[in-house]
């Protein structure tokens, strides 16, 4: 039995999952399911990337500990993948203990190879990309490749001798298997490496959310060394003999085109240094735009992955994402295209084929699968030949990482089957009483449907399961490609008509519904402000307002919170025996000494929260200017600390 190991990138947990995260993981799931159907021993790994400056800053912005942030957001990805019914074998987190072990072993090996040395890094860094950039990769304070802001970094750092591996990398790119795909991406990365490699800074000292550098805990390991190693730790890391287990080397690292350099330059170089086999393939897919535009929250076209999963049936989502673009190309996510593919390809072609065939079986031959006869009728022979070609085409397309071609072949076979029924006209023979010919035709049609369902099950698993269920084929073996020998559908099975496989989507009806919702919203807006309508209008009762205790607090002292860029620790007099401690996100807007002695508005009856290990016992009120400065509500000395604001 062959092994097949496929990975997705592990996702940053600074925000919620979106369509891009759903895409990579769905495509990987399609491959995992297909290879399981080949009878391979498959391992499908996905998970979350939880360390680094970007995550630490996101936690600071929220005023919470990084661990709390990563627990909360990693769970969102895990929930999403469950909702999408993905079949991963492990959901790895870089905060998992076994992962850390593997990372430390990688570093130990890289050191042992003499590839790590201490020096000073001076240059640009983008926290958003967690990437270092050379001067010529920067324009107007931003990385040209990604548009992300960069900051100047000057600090002691461990370096990895990336330059040492230039020739070996080129040799790898040039090997016959073309391990970096698509070929255009291989050429791109090869040209980059050919242009010369600089050694890579692999540690930082100015923040601490990460794996401490072995023997020098002042340094935290560069997040990409940590993250990339998940691919090894996900399948057991190193065993006692220092060997990587049965699933390594990985068959496919499926990634987005933006993270090619990390996967096709850094990762293989780390592996070469650590004496570990290189992955068999790194495949970079394209990016989705939404209605023709780059997705962004500010443009309002950001597609939350949970909403996506609620809006479309899972099979349709998978079908559209795989069928719409070749793997490697960019795609445009447009509702009309999804609806068109649903209505004409899934509903009219596949849905209709299954529906009409099963109904004819029920009404012409008592709903029972007839026995198979190797007929010599030209249409029957042609259909059997077509089936074999499709099976070979699907396998070949998946080998070449062209799932859209595999799906296209399957759907065109469904079309052939519709055409076969149209041409052979079983209803005519039924009328004439030639039941034998009816049986031959309907057997061929049913068997063809079985082939379609088995082949399509990696792509549209729900529909495939319904179809096979309607033919009483419910065991794991029934899903195997090995079951595809013509005539394999057992005689005597009862044939049912499955529930509607694909509901047609009526775009006009959706538009009308949206119009109506808009009208209701308009009406609600109009009625805003009317008395007694507080629930609808969002107004609150006076009593509710009084439940919030607002007081004047005098800031007695202020200091920076160590390790947090944005936080200040304040001690404030709010008219009680003891001062209250407050952790406030004011460090970017205020010098601590300018706050001392000031009287400001604060909420004094919030439940205390712990930030960076400090218990915060009140909240300072602030308003943000267009430039992002936080202005405070000040009170003069005439007001005593602790006075209630009402
Ligand atoms: N944490 C790193 C990966 C570490 S792997 C060792 C990371 N995470 S990410 O969450 O920012 O991105 C994960 C993947 O989502 C990337 O492969 C990226 O290409 C993909 N996508 C992000 N936006 C996308 C689209 N709009 N369309 C398709 N994929 C996109 O990078």
């Amino acid at each position: 039995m062959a092994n097949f190991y496929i990975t997705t990138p592990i996702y940053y947990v600074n925000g919620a999952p979106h369509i891009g995260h759903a895409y990579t993981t769905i495509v990987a799931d399609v491959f995992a399911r297909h290879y399981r159907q080949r009878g391979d021993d498959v391992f499908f790994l996905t998970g979350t990337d939880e360390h680094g400056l970007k995550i630490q800053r996101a936690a600071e912005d929220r005023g919470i500990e990084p661990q709390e942030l990563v627990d909360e957001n990693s769970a969102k990805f895990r929930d999403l993948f469950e909702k999408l019914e993905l079949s991963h074998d492990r959901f790895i987190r870089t905060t998992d203990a076994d992962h850390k072990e593997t990372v430390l072993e990688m570093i130990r090996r890289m050191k042992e190879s003499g590839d790590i040395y201490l020096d000073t890094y001076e240059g640009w860094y983008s926290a958003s990309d967690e990437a270092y950039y050379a001067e010529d990769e920067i324009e107007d304070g931003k990385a040209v490749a990604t548009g992300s802001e960069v900051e100047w970094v000057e600090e002691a750092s461990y370096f990895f001798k990336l330059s040492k591996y230039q020739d070996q990398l080129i040799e790898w790119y040039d090997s016959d298997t073309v391990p970096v795909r698509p070929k255009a991406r291989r050429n791109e990365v090869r040209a980059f490496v050919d242009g010369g490699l600089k050694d890579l800074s692999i540690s930082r000292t100015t923040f601490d959310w990460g794996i401490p550098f072995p023997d020098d805990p002042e340094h935290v390991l560069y997040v990409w060394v940590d993250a990339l190693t998940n691919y090894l730790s996900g399948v057991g890391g190193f065993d006692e003999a220092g060997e990587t287990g049965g699933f390594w080397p990985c068959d496919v690292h499926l990634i987005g085109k933006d993270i090619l350099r990390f996967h096709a330059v850094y990762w293989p170089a780390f592996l070469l240094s650590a004496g570990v086999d290189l992955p068999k393939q790194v495949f970079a897919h394209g990016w989705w735009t939404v209605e023709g535009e780059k997705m962004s929250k500010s443009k309002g076209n950001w597609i939350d992955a949970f909403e996506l999963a609620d809006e479309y049936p899972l099979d349709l989502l998978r079908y559209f994402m795989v069928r719409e673009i070749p793997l490697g190309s960019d795609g445009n996510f447009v509702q009309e295209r999804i609806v068109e593919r649903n209505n004409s390809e899934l509903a009219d072609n596949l849905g209709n084929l299954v529906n009409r065939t099963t109904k004819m079986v029920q009404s012409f031959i008592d709903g029972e699968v007839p026995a198979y006869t190797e007929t010599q009728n030209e249409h029957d022979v042609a259909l059997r030949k077509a089936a074999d070609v499709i099976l070979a085409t699907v396998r070949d397309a998946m080998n070449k990482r062209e799932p859209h071609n595999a799906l296209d072949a399957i759907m065109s076979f469904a079309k052939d089957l519709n055409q076969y029924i149209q041409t052979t006209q079983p209803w005519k023979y039924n009328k004439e009483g030639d039941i034998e010919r009816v049986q031959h035709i309907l057997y061929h049609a049913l068997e063809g449907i079985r082939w379609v369902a088995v082949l399509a099950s990696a792509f549209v698993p729900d529909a495939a399961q319904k179809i096979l269920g309607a033919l009483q084929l419910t065991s794991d073996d029934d899903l195997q490609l090995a079951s595809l020998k013509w005539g394999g559908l057992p005689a005597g099975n009862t044939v049912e008509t499955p529930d509607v496989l694909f509901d047609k989507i009526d775009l006009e009806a959706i538009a009308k519904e949206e119009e109506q919702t808009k009208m209701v919203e308009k009406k609600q807006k109009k009625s805003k402000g009317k008395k007694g309508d507080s629930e609808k209008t969002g107004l609150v009762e006076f009593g509710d307002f009084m439940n919030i205790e607002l007081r004047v607090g005098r800031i007695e002292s202020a200091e920076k919170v160590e390790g947090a860029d944005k936080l200040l620790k304040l001690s404030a007099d709010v008219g009680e025996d003891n001062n209250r401690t407050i952790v406030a996100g004011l460090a970017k807007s205020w010098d601590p000494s300018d706050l001392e002695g000031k009287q400001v508005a604060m909420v004094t009856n919030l439940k205390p929260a712990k930030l960076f290990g400090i218990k915060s016992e009140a909240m300072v009120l602030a308003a943000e200017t267009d430039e992002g400065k936080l202005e405070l509500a000040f009170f003069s000395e005439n007001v005593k600390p602790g006075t209630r604001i009402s």
Side-chain angles (χ1 to χ4, degrees):
M1 199 185 341
N3 281 345
F4 182 78
Y5 175 28
I6 185 164
T7 65
T8 72
I10 46 171
Y11 304 107
Y12 285 131
V13 286
N14 54 313
H18 58 62
I19 182 175
H21 303 126
Y23 175 61
T24 324
T25 327
I26 284 177
V27 173
D29 184 73
V30 167
F31 277 102
R33 287 177 189 258
H34 172 81
Y35 278 84
R36 284 190 199 109
Q37 290 188 278
R38 292 185 181 200
D40 285 3
D41 198 0
V42 170
F43 201 94
F44 167 20
L45 181 71
T46 188
T48 44
D49 187 354
E50 306 187 1
H51 289 133
L53 183 57
K54 166 153 126 169
I55 306 294
Q56 177 161 332
R57 286 193 178 153
E60 282 170 27
D61 283 344
R62 291 258 316 268
I64 57 176
E65 293 286 352
Q67 189 63 53
E68 194 180 336
L69 178 91
V70 301
D71 286 347
E72 186 180 308
N73 282 350
S74 174
K76 286 186 193 153
F77 282 88
R78 186 188 287 269
D79 291 349
L80 173 72
F81 298 158
E82 204 168 294
K83 191 174 171 90
L84 291 173
E85 294 175 14
L86 302 180
S87 64
H88 43 292
D89 296 286
R90 177 169 176 187
F91 183 96
I92 192 169
R93 301 180 57 183
T94 49
T95 47
D96 288 345
D98 66 326
H99 168 70
K100 189 175 165 187
E101 288 298 304
T102 311
V103 172
L104 294 178
E105 175 60 12
M106 274 296 282
I107 296 291
R108 196 194 62 72
R109 287 168 172 238
M110 287 152 77
K111 263 186 179 171
E112 199 174 72
S113 300
D115 288 343
I116 291 180
Y117 60 92
L118 187 62
D119 205 336
T120 307
Y121 178 77
E122 268 188 34
W124 297 105
Y125 191 76
S126 156
S128 160
D129 303 339
E130 295 285 15
Y132 298 92
Y133 288 107
E135 199 65 52
D136 61 358
E137 293 175 304
I138 303 295
E139 214 177 271
D140 298 332
K142 291 190 170 144
V144 179
T146 57
S148 307
E149 279 184 23
V150 291
E151 54 199 289
W152 185 255
V153 171
E154 245 180 79
E155 61 190 38
S157 172
Y158 284 97
F159 280 79
F160 168 69
K161 285 189 189 163
L162 185 62
S163 53
K164 178 174 152 189
Y165 292 97
Q166 181 166 348
D167 293 345
Q168 273 170 278
L169 287 171
I170 297 272
E171 216 174 281
W172 185 56
Y173 304 141
D174 290 346
S175 53
D176 291 343
T177 54
V178 195
V180 179
R181 303 275 181 121
K183 282 190 181 157
R185 298 275 169 224
R186 188 271 309 262
N187 297 343
E188 182 187 308
V189 97
R190 190 190 188 286
F192 169 75
V193 173
D194 207 30
L197 289 175
K198 289 209 181 78
D199 289 351
L200 180 71
S201 160
I202 55 161
S203 76
R204 300 285 308 267
T205 54
T206 43
F207 68 94
D208 57 9
W209 180 240
I211 298 182
F213 209 83
D215 306 324
D216 196 350
E218 286 290 293
H219 290 248
V220 62
L221 185 63
Y222 176 37
V223 65
W224 273 98
V225 183
D226 171 350
L228 287 160
T229 304
N230 93 86
Y231 299 133
L232 271 181
S233 33
V235 286
F238 299 95
D239 64 17
E240 272 169 18
E243 298 293 326
T244 47
F247 282 106
W248 193 262
C250 179
D251 289 85
V252 198
H253 288 313
L254 186 64
I255 58 164
K257 61 181 180 180
D258 55 317
I259 50 176
L260 183 66
R261 197 180 289 184
F262 301 98
H263 284 81
V265 183
Y266 299 172
W267 179 227
F270 298 159
L271 291 169
L272 285 168
S273 170
V276 179
D277 289 342
L278 299 187
K280 291 186 203 155
Q281 192 173 78
V282 173
F283 197 107
H285 66 65
W287 269 44
W288 286 95
T289 51
V290 176
E291 307 281 342
E293 287 202 69
K294 196 171 170 203
M295 188 171 59
S296 88
K297 278 198 169 152
S298 56
K299 273 192 212 136
N301 67 347
W302 198 85
I303 301 190
D304 175 275
F306 285 96
E307 282 170 22
L308 193 66
D310 281 335
E311 191 154 343
Y312 299 105
L314 295 183
D315 275 355
L316 173 56
L317 204 55
R318 296 168 70 97
Y319 182 84
F320 175 75
M321 285 180 155
V322 174
R323 182 66 194 83
E324 183 72 0
I325 46 167
L327 193 61
S329 303
D330 292 335
N332 187 10
F333 200 85
V334 185
Q335 193 187 37
E336 281 83 2
R337 300 279 306 141
I338 305 177
V339 171
E340 195 183 309
R341 288 204 181 274
N342 178 71
N343 292 357
S344 68
E345 296 171 27
L346 291 175
D348 282 349
N349 180 16
L350 182 53
N352 187 35
L353 167 71
V354 176
N355 192 45
R356 72 200 288 214
T357 309
T358 50
K359 287 215 163 108
M360 281 191 286
V361 172
Q362 278 155 7
S363 56
F364 300 165
I365 50 173
D366 297 330
E368 202 178 276
V369 177
Y372 170 56
T373 315
E374 200 179 302
T375 48
Q376 295 312 313
N377 175 288
E378 59 170 319
H379 302 300
D380 300 3
V381 173
L383 190 68
R384 299 200 292 263
K385 272 197 184 142
D388 279 333
V389 173
I390 297 305
L391 174 57
T393 307
V394 169
R395 275 176 165 279
D396 186 50
M398 295 305 271
N399 286 343
K400 291 188 186 139
R401 317 296 179 227
E402 293 170 356
H404 70 295
N405 280 338
L407 201 42
D408 189 42
I410 298 165
M411 294 309 280
S412 77
F413 185 51
K415 236 191 214 159
D416 291 349
L417 284 161
N418 269 317
Q419 191 54 50
Y420 169 82
I421 292 170
Q422 222 41 48
T423 315
T424 52
Q425 304 195 347
W427 49 87
K428 198 182 87 191
Y429 293 103
N430 183 55
K431 223 177 187 176
E432 290 168 3
D434 184 352
I435 290 305
E436 204 176 320
R437 183 64 193 135
V438 173
Q439 284 176 334
H440 293 162
I441 295 171
L442 290 182
Y443 186 92
H444 277 73
L446 285 174
E447 175 66 339
I449 286 172
R450 179 177 79 90
W451 280 52
V452 168
V454 171
L455 289 170
S457 75
F459 303 86
V460 286
D462 289 345
Q465 196 190 9
K466 280 188 198 158
I467 298 171
L468 293 173
L471 302 175
Q472 317 298 318
L473 302 171
T474 52
S475 79
D476 288 347
D477 284 350
D478 293 326
L479 269 184
Q480 291 292 301
L481 295 186
S483 77
L484 295 182
K485 305 260 176 338
W486 197 268
L489 176 63
N493 274 16
T494 311
V495 176
E496 287 161 6
T497 300
D499 295 340
V500 178
L501 292 174
F502 308 101
D503 274 319
K504 280 212 174 177
I505 302 174
D506 183 349
L507 262 187
E508 272 179 33
I510 293 176
K512 261 190 206 154
E513 213 174 280
E514 278 172 3
E515 196 54 38
Q516 273 171 355
T517 321
K518 266 190 210 148
M519 273 164 57
V520 172
E521 277 171 5
K522 245 190 193 168
K523 271 190 193 161
Q524 280 179 351
K525 256 193 198 155
K526 264 192 186 167
S527 70
K528 209 177 188 180
K530 278 187 195 163
K531 273 185 190 163
D533 219 358
S534 59
E535 247 176 55
K536 274 189 201 152
T537 58
L539 297 177
V540 297
E541 300 293 339
F542 183 67
D544 290 339
F545 165 67
M546 286 309 281
N547 285 339
I548 296 173
E549 201 179 85
L550 293 172
R551 290 186 188 276
V552 175
R554 187 186 144 85
I555 300 173
E556 301 292 358
S557 68
E559 61 186 276
K560 290 206 158 195
V561 174
E562 216 173 285
D565 282 348
K566 299 201 171 153
L567 301 180
L568 290 184
K569 179 180 162 191
L570 314 175
S571 172
D573 178 357
V574 294
E576 297 165 338
D577 289 346
N578 294 321
N579 285 351
R580 298 243 192 143
T581 301
I582 303 167
V583 181
L586 298 174
K588 289 254 154 103
S589 306
W590 290 90
D591 205 86
S593 59
D594 291 338
L595 287 175
E596 282 174 10
K598 292 272 184 330
Q599 305 220 99
V600 298
M602 46 183 67
V603 185
T604 48
N605 67 340
L606 277 181
K607 275 197 187 144
K610 228 177 174 193
L611 308 172
F612 278 75
I614 309 163
K615 190 165 155 202
S616 182
E617 301 164 305
M619 184 175 90
V620 174
L621 295 183
E624 194 170 350
T625 66
D626 285 348
E627 287 71 42
K629 181 173 184 216
L630 296 172
E631 294 284 11
L632 306 178
F634 290 119
F635 287 84
S636 73
E637 294 285 324
N638 299 338
V639 189
K640 263 207 246 136
T643 305
R644 184 111 192 227
I645 305 169
S646 57

